[in-house]
Amino acid sequence: MSRPEGIQLMEGNHACAWGAIDAGARFFAGYPITPSSEIAEVCARELPAYGGIFIQMEDEIGSIAAIIGASLSGKKSFTATSGPGFSLMQENLGVGIYQEVPCVIVDIQRVGPATGLATQPAQADVMQARWGTHGDHSIIALSPATVQEMYYLTIRAFNLSERFRTPVIILGDQVIGQTYENIKLPDPSSLDIIERIKPFVSPEDYFPYQPDKNGVPPMAAYGDRHIVHASSTCHDETGYSNFKTQTNRALLTRLKDKIYNYTDEIVDVEHFGPDHAEVTLISYGASSRVCKYVVGEAEKEGIRVNLLRLISIWPFPDRIVREALGKTGAVVVAEMNQGQLIGEVNRVNATNTPVYLASGIDGALIDPDIIMAAIREALK
Amino acid sequence: MNKTNMAVTIRIDEAFCKRCGFCIEFCNANVYEADKDGLPLVKDPEKCTNCRLCELRCPDFAVSVEVVDNE
Amino acid sequence: MAVNLGYKEYFKSDALPLMWCAGCGNGIILRAITEALSDLHIPPHQVVISTGIGCWGKADDYMKTHAFHGSHGRALAFGTGIKLGNPDLHVIALMGDGDALAIGGNHFIHAARRNIDITAIISNNFNYGMTGGQYSPTTPLSSSTTTSPAGVAEPGFDVCALSETCGANYVARTTAYHVTQLKRFITAALLKQGFSMVEVINTCPTHFGRRNIPGDTVSMMKYLKDITVSKAGYEKLDEADKEKYLVTGELVNRERPDYLSVYREMNPGGPETDRGEGH
């Protein structure tokens, strides 16, 4: 097969793989797991024609390790998994964050914990994405709601990972991953693709962790004459171990600031429905599709409901959510878990706006009735 | 290079030596002896055969054997 | 461009003194690696040292080559990506016995099975030195460690036999005492295309030695001589005696095609395909 032309019926996992290839990904390492495996399958079939390499590793720990290694060798790299595999990746996700390695991890969420319902959707890895690896850290996570958006968000995930030198997570779910929709892949030359910044000093003057003005160090690759020392131990700008307390403080601060000082550059949301509403839905991913339907159903009942759809989840869009809370009567957070992102909504709720949870934990796409019930509760 | 017209200079870097005693114990030519603190002293440099095993077997990069060509 | 660089072109001399204990052989292995790289005229920027966690996992801080220091047990998994990301690189994974064979055992057997072109150098000191001398997958049966005060109830791995069974192209065992052999085997391993593994039986006078070998650092080093025998010597031993010794030498040296060669043959790819120059 070659790159699909024109309008194609495609599932989200396939769109993810093509987005990665179009973003310049040339290395995929993964381990089969439902409901993400088609991403690996497309990569196995398609990457060689682009000069790339697919490898099926022995487990998810090895998969994320391999993509971190390949990225340090200069290849845009990614992996795809679901909750159990994402759990196994957590330690090395921290290695990628700490060593500032651009790479993309796709989590097609399914019902957990444990094996749970392996073929059914959930959105219960939101906090695992945020806090799954140990230690203080920042993270970027995006959540697509359609197959077409899966394609574009995968490209954006690579762009953000290269721009910020950090792993980026795509929080998909079984619905988005395995739903077929019509999409059209754009002309690759029309895409804005971000490449990592290479060193602009001589090899003798290069320190691999000396940040540029924006806090991101220019990145040489293994094999370059600019020597790279990438360490999971506390390190200074040389990359070599440094155990001074001020080094640790400076590194942790920079790793946080290089992302959180640029939150507005990362945040992506969609406002749907009327500007002013009695109830505002806040949702993301597959749940937000149902919310759009509910906005219309509520209107039929004479209830003014709108939707704030979070396309980027981490860093959390504090300012935008705070503003939304301030100009609505009540908020319903719709998510396919027992309440994860709602905690963040409550955290930024400066106006004490009533916040309700519409929780879909049936191992299926969240039922519109659950959201409608929460809206009615909010209006009591 | 003929052994008879070869001399060596053996240097022990005291800052890096941890007094493991390997150079002293395993030198086939008995070039070394220990001082009272266990630091190797080059007792008989003329016995050195320049096999360099002490240099390679020093865990702390503290021994260097350098050949001085007499000619 | 073949320039004799000397081991100091690879070794970070300004980081001395080494952090390891008196009588620990890690520095001996490091010296052998840097000497072998120098003899082979491999430019430092074409080498990546991938280390795990533990005493030997600190080795990257003494190298002037490219280096990767990651998580416990994963040096080969990171190394797999590093190698496939740039096939021209010489990737050398430095792992201890616990790192390579306990927490990293899965990556180890699969790296060997794939026959990926990486050189693994295992410093086997029979215990977890960094964490205080607990027993590892290579601690000999009945040895005393801090987590086996009554003796280890588990037999240890034969690392070389494991590597051979899994499919490695080059397998050798030596010790920190046999320094010329050590350098020779590392050199051969670096030249070998496919997975190469050199097991270096190493000293740990601070923990394993203190609890199991009476005497000092020198006694610990002599122990390495005492428990090993050459291949020729091993063959002459009675069957009953063979169990008492670890055989040293080049145990496997074969030419199975390495992972990337096979992959590229099956997946020829387009014009931008990076095949590596091999070595």
Side-chain angles (χ1 to χ4, degrees):
Chain A
M1 251 184 80
S2 56
R3 193 170 182 276
E5 301 288 339
I7 293 171
Q8 295 280 331
L9 189 63
M10 189 183 284
E11 71 165 35
N13 285 336
H14 292 172
C16 175
W18 282 111
I21 290 168
D22 286 352
R26 294 296 177 264
F27 185 77
F28 178 98
Y31 187 84
I33 184 168
T34 304
S36 78
S37 301
E38 301 86 41
I39 299 172
E41 290 168 0
V42 174
C43 289
R45 191 183 67 213
E46 303 292 345
L47 272 178
Y50 292 84
I53 291 178
F54 165 90
I55 187 168
Q56 187 167 303
M57 292 296 286
E58 49 274 12
D59 57 27
E60 289 88 346
I61 300 171
S63 300
I64 188 169
I67 68 164
I68 287 170
S71 181
L72 285 163
S73 287
K75 295 286 192 296
K76 289 187 179 179
S77 305
F78 79 125
T79 186
T81 187
S82 188
F86 193 42
S87 295
L88 287 177
M89 291 181 181
Q90 290 301 331
E91 184 193 10
N92 284 343
L93 176 59
V95 173
I97 292 166
Y98 204 58
Q99 297 186 348
E100 303 181 66
V101 183
C103 58
V104 172
I105 297 109
V106 183
D107 175 16
I108 306 298
Q109 298 167 90
R110 69 189 214 189
V111 175
T115 306
L117 293 167
T119 64
Q120 303 300 324
Q123 294 175 308
D125 297 348
V126 172
M127 284 299 166
Q128 184 179 206
R130 180 63 193 88
W131 293 114
T133 196
H134 62 280
D136 286 317
H137 62 277
S138 51
I139 196 77
I140 298 174
L142 311 175
S143 179
T146 67
V147 173
Q148 184 78 64
E149 191 170 68
M150 175 66 103
Y151 171 83
Y152 281 112
L153 276 194
T154 303
I155 294 171
R156 180 148 203 262
F158 276 94
N159 281 347
L160 291 170
S161 78
E162 298 291 340
R163 155 71 180 85
F164 290 99
R165 265 195 79 167
T166 195
V168 173
I169 293 162
I170 294 177
L171 273 176
D173 53 64
Q174 185 272 335
V175 173
I176 306 304
Q178 296 189 316
T179 292
Y180 277 77
E181 291 181 311
N182 276 341
I183 78 162
K184 187 173 187 306
L185 304 189
D187 177 356
S189 65
S190 71
L191 298 166
D192 288 325
I193 303 299
I194 294 176
E195 305 295 341
R196 65 192 60 171
I197 305 294
K198 301 290 277 186
F200 38 78
V201 296
S202 67
E204 295 72 30
D205 294 330
Y206 179 61
F207 294 112
Y209 289 92
Q210 178 76 54
D212 205 354
K213 282 193 288 279
N214 61 5
V216 179
M219 187 173 180
Y222 289 147
D224 291 352
R225 289 183 186 278
H226 297 72
I227 295 295
V228 176
H229 194 104
S231 180
S232 64
T233 291
C234 183
H235 48 271
D236 57 24
E237 70 279 2
T238 66
Y240 287 86
S241 299
N242 183 314
F243 302 114
K244 296 191 178 96
T245 52
Q246 60 266 38
T247 304
N248 181 56
R249 182 187 302 132
L251 177 56
L252 289 186
T253 303
R254 181 173 66 75
L255 291 179
K256 177 167 169 280
D257 288 351
K258 75 169 182 177
I259 292 174
Y260 283 87
N261 287 352
Y262 298 87
T263 297
D264 289 347
E265 186 184 327
I266 300 164
V267 163
D268 190 9
V269 301
E270 179 193 6
H271 296 278
F272 181 84
D275 281 349
H276 294 281
E278 300 159 80
V279 176
T280 294
L281 304 176
I282 296 179
S283 190
Y284 51 94
S287 296
S288 65
R289 298 168 69 112
V290 182
C291 288
K292 286 187 175 179
Y293 169 78
V294 167
V295 167
E297 292 301 294
E299 192 181 0
K300 288 178 196 166
E301 295 187 24
I303 310 170
R304 287 177 68 81
V305 175
N306 61 11
L307 166 67
L308 172 62
R309 180 168 78 89
L310 308 186
I311 301 168
S312 64
I313 291 188
W314 305 117
F316 192 73
D318 287 17
R319 182 179 55 78
I320 290 171
V321 173
R322 191 179 290 119
E323 285 169 8
L325 284 156
K327 60 183 210 182
T328 189
V331 161
V332 169
V333 179
E335 48 186 343
M336 278 144 56
N337 54 52
Q338 292 178 310
Q340 294 200 12
L341 214 61
I342 191 174
E344 293 296 300
V345 174
N346 283 325
R347 179 176 61 77
V348 301
N349 188 358
T351 47
N352 288 322
T353 306
V355 177
Y356 297 84
L357 174 67
S359 165
I361 54 167
D362 298 330
L365 185 57
I366 187 169
D367 193 313
D369 289 346
I370 295 173
I371 301 170
M372 278 305 298
I375 290 170
R376 291 196 185 93
E377 175 75 15
L379 289 171
K380 268 186 189 166
Chain B
M1 190 183 296
N2 188 309
K3 200 173 144 185
T4 53
N5 57 17
M6 177 197 76
V8 297
T9 304
I10 302 172
R11 277 206 291 268
I12 308 291
D13 197 320
E14 293 183 30
F16 305 145
C17 172
K18 299 196 184 107
R19 281 74 166 161
C20 70
F22 292 169
C23 54
I24 303 164
E25 176 68 24
F26 299 112
C27 175
N28 290 323
N30 286 314
V31 168
Y32 297 95
E33 68 178 1
D35 79 356
K36 60 182 178 15
D37 297 321
L39 186 76
L41 300 174
V42 183
K43 180 183 62 176
D44 293 316
E46 69 280 1
K47 290 184 185 171
C48 176
T49 62
N50 191 34
C51 72
R52 290 183 69 230
L53 287 175
C54 57
E55 188 176 341
L56 294 175
R57 207 177 270 137
C58 173
D60 291 291
F61 295 71
V63 177
S64 61
V65 181
E66 284 167 26
V67 176
V68 182
D69 197 332
N70 281 348
E71 291 188 2
Chain C
M1 188 176 67
V3 183
N4 192 349
L5 300 163
Y7 82 91
K8 287 180 179 172
E9 286 298 309
Y10 306 86
F11 178 72
K12 198 169 183 300
S13 301
D14 61 1
L16 287 169
L18 301 177
M19 57 82 64
W20 295 307
C21 302
C24 168
N26 282 346
I28 299 171
I29 309 174
L30 203 54
R31 177 63 176 258
I33 294 167
T34 51
E35 294 258 353
L37 287 169
S38 175
D39 286 0
L40 292 171
H41 307 299
I42 302 172
H45 73 275
Q46 290 178 5
V47 176
V48 183
I49 299 287
S50 178
T51 59
I53 301 292
C55 296
W56 188 217
K58 294 281 185 186
D60 58 280
D61 269 338
Y62 302 116
M63 294 295 288
K64 295 201 291 194
T65 64
H66 290 286
F68 182 90
H69 175 67
S71 50
H72 192 26
R74 319 301 171 197
L76 285 170
F78 288 109
T80 296
I82 291 166
K83 178 70 186 180
L84 297 180
N86 181 351
D88 290 337
L89 293 167
H90 288 262
V91 179
I92 307 171
L94 307 183
M95 301 167 290
D97 39 304
D99 194 56
L101 299 158
I103 190 166
N106 200 27
H107 307 304
F108 184 83
I109 61 177
H110 290 285
R113 175 182 62 82
R114 281 186 196 105
N115 202 22
I116 188 158
D117 187 24
I118 294 177
T119 296
I121 299 172
I122 297 182
S123 165
N124 179 3
N125 64 2
F126 301 127
N127 73 165
Y128 290 85
M130 180 67 80
T131 47
Q134 297 82 13
Y135 72 86
S136 85
T138 61
T139 310
L141 186 70
S142 80
S143 304
S144 169
T145 72
T146 55
T147 47
S148 62
V152 182
E154 312 168 18
F157 263 131
D158 181 332
V159 186
C160 293
L162 178 70
S163 303
E164 179 178 9
T165 301
C166 292
N169 255 0
Y170 182 87
V171 177
R173 182 189 285 122
T174 183
T175 80
Y177 174 81
H178 300 92
V179 285
T180 49
Q181 191 183 54
L182 173 63
K183 182 175 151 183
R184 194 167 76 244
F185 289 174
I186 291 172
T187 303
L190 288 170
L191 288 171
K192 174 65 70 173
Q193 188 140 1
F195 190 75
S196 53
M197 196 287 295
V198 180
E199 179 192 6
V200 189
I201 307 296
N202 199 4
T203 58
C204 181
T206 302
H207 295 296
F208 186 81
R210 182 166 53 88
R211 297 182 78 100
N212 295 282
I213 300 147
D216 54 10
T217 48
V218 167
S219 312
M220 177 81 239
M221 186 58 104
K222 284 180 175 169
Y223 171 79
L224 304 190
K225 283 170 69 181
D226 294 343
I227 61 165
T228 51
V229 61
S230 69
K231 269 201 295 191
Y234 187 78
E235 294 307 321
K236 291 178 195 150
L237 292 172
D238 294 336
E239 285 305 312
D241 284 339
K242 283 185 175 176
E243 281 187 13
K244 297 175 190 162
Y245 294 95
L246 289 164
V247 60
T248 58
E250 286 184 332
L251 305 176
V252 177
N253 193 347
R254 57 191 172 191
E255 304 291 341
R256 296 168 60 245
D258 71 291
Y259 167 78
L260 189 59
S261 301
V262 178
Y263 181 82
R264 278 295 176 224
E265 199 177 319
M266 294 175 177
N267 300 276
E272 57 179 302
T273 302
D274 191 352
R275 285 176 176 78
E277 290 165 4
H279 51 265

